[in-house]
Amino acid sequence: MTDRAARPVRILLADDQPLLRTGFRMVLGAQGDLDVVAEAGDGVEAVDLSRRLLPDVVLMDIRMPRMDGVAATRAIVDARLPVRVLILTTFDLDEYVVGALRAGASGFLAKDVPAEDLVTAIRTVAAGEAVVAPRILRRLLDRFAEALPDPDAAPPRSLAALTDREREVLVQVARGLSNAEIAAALSVSETTIKTHVGHVLTKLGLRDRVQAVVLAYETGLVRPRA
């Protein structure tokens, strides 16, 4: 892991449409710090190549033959491979969004994302962070709205281990703010926020900040804005 900064981010493209894979390869190949090491046309092949090649990031289509992106993501995560998954889909309101995040995906973007945003997302995921496109996050959270608990109720026991500041940081994470933005809002250093986020993930048994967002809304800690 110590040589991560010294070598390109190794990427596996998993999509059942060859033309899209070609387009992604062209975009990513123009970046000196990104290297597309293989392509997969379905989920089964994506899992097999992930096991054999151990790419840093799998750019995973959610709807593929033989095995969809959710099942493939779950197989990669369950195998404890040092591989992170960034989901891409044509469907903003895809019914698999929550399933993909719960399966362990580190990010979720629409396929029409601007090239520069895709590149940034891959770098972010490779660095151990998580990303969700704002418009997808908003629609995802809207889906939670009707099933959320009463905001005036007592905090759920699963959040009881958090300090007041950690709970405050979790709220900001759930609203889609970056560590830098949270630091500015709370007038503390970005390093301090990174430490708080780490404590939140550890205490709640979460893999990354995407799962923290889902938990925050599921427990009613934060509710979608009207």
Side-chain angles (χ1 to χ4, degrees), residues 32-114:
D33 62 334
L34 303 181
D35 180 22
V36 177
V37 296
E39 298 180 18
D42 60 58
V44 172
E45 190 177 9
V47 174
D48 177 61
L49 288 172
S50 293
R51 290 178 181 276
R52 292 196 285 114
L53 301 178
L54 298 179
D56 299 310
V57 178
V58 179
L59 201 58
M60 183 87 76
D61 184 21
I62 205 165
R63 297 191 178 188
M64 295 184 291
R66 294 211 290 170
M67 179 185 288
D68 65 35
V70 176
T73 297
R74 185 175 294 109
I76 290 170
V77 172
D78 288 350
R80 299 186 181 279
L81 302 178
V83 176
R84 297 177 70 82
V85 178
L86 179 58
I87 294 284
L88 285 177
T89 183
T90 306
F91 310 97
D92 280 3
L93 291 177
D94 198 298
E95 62 268 25
Y96 296 133
V97 173
V98 176
L101 297 180
R102 285 178 173 153
S106 297
F108 205 104
L109 297 175
K111 284 185 177 178
D112 62 356
V113 63

Side-chain angles (χ1 to χ4, degrees), residues 125-187:
V125 167
E129 294 290 339
V131 295
V132 176
R135 80 175 193 232
I136 293 180
L137 179 59
R138 285 195 299 271
R139 296 182 184 185
L140 172 64
L141 299 180
D142 285 344
R143 285 195 162 192
F144 283 132
E146 295 182 0
L148 293 177
D150 183 349
D152 296 324
R157 293 173 61 186
S158 61
L159 301 180
L162 302 183
T163 64
D164 288 344
R165 178 45 64 96
E166 289 167 352
R167 188 187 301 266
E168 188 175 13
V169 169
L170 176 56
V171 168
Q172 300 303 320
V173 168
R175 288 175 175 160
L177 274 65
S178 67
N179 287 349
E181 291 169 332
I182 298 173
L186 300 182
S187 299

Side-chain angles (χ1 to χ4, degrees), residues 198-213:
H199 289 165
V200 168
L201 299 182
T202 298
K203 288 181 178 182
L204 299 181
L206 303 172
R207 187 171 186 268
D208 53 40
R209 63 197 297 136
V210 172
Q211 291 188 337
V213 170

